[in-house]
Amino acid sequence: MAKTSTAPFAQTPKNPTAVTTAACASINGDTPTNTVLLLTAGTEGALLTSLTAMPRGTVTPSNLLLFLSTDGGTTKRLIDSELMAAHTVATTTAIPETAFGRYSDDTPLRLQASASLYVGNQVTLADGVVWSAQYTDF
């Protein structure tokens, strides 16, 4: 982005989704396994304002993980996690969302140009966990 004295405003709202099924492992380093790309910021950066996850099947408690990569996915650094509670999916109950509470319109995650967010969960769920984000490119 060119230097300017005028405040830049976010331009293009986006709502990506992803599904994780396999258990994410090797989170103690920079190359975790079984992560899924959720989004890549535009060429001038982006603001993430919402991140949630929902199980598509009955789930035991599961650690949900968020990774940041600034080098095209070669290095993925763990930057956040939330605990998804156990839930039995049934036709008579709502499926609860697990929200990553740090991100909102008031406190967005600021992403540099072309940065990527990857997601993972530490419990295998064959039916999958659906991730949903709201972000805006500059």
Side-chain angles (χ1 to χ4, degrees):
M1 180 171 12
K3 301 284 184 191
T4 178
S5 58
T6 306
F9 293 96
Q11 300 292 314
T12 309
K14 297 187 177 184
N15 303 96
T17 60
V19 177
T20 55
T21 55
C24 184
S26 302
I27 67 168
N28 58 342
D30 290 337
T31 55
T33 61
N34 299 321
T35 61
V36 174
L37 177 64
L38 178 64
L39 66 90
T40 300
T43 57
E44 295 183 348
L47 297 176
L48 175 79
T49 56
S50 175
L51 178 60
T52 60
M54 293 176 66
R56 292 197 294 196
T58 297
V59 66
T60 59
S62 179
N63 189 17
L64 304 175
L65 306 168
L66 179 64
F67 299 90
L68 173 67
S69 177
T70 57
D71 60 6
T74 301
T75 303
K76 299 173 192 164
R77 296 265 163 85
L78 179 63
I79 62 167
D80 204 355
S81 73
E82 289 288 339
L83 182 64
M84 177 179 281
H87 178 74
T88 300
V89 173
T91 58
T92 57
T93 60
I95 301 172
E97 281 185 344
T98 301
F100 280 66
R102 291 176 49 189
Y103 315 116
S104 69
D105 287 329
D106 293 332
T107 58
L109 174 61
R110 297 178 184 277
L111 298 171
Q112 72 184 48
S114 303
S116 298
L117 293 179
Y118 289 80
V119 292
N121 54 294
Q122 288 196 283
V123 175
T124 296
L125 183 60
D127 292 327
V129 173
V130 178
W131 297 77
S132 176
Q134 292 181 16
Y135 79 103
T136 308
D137 276 336
F138 283 101

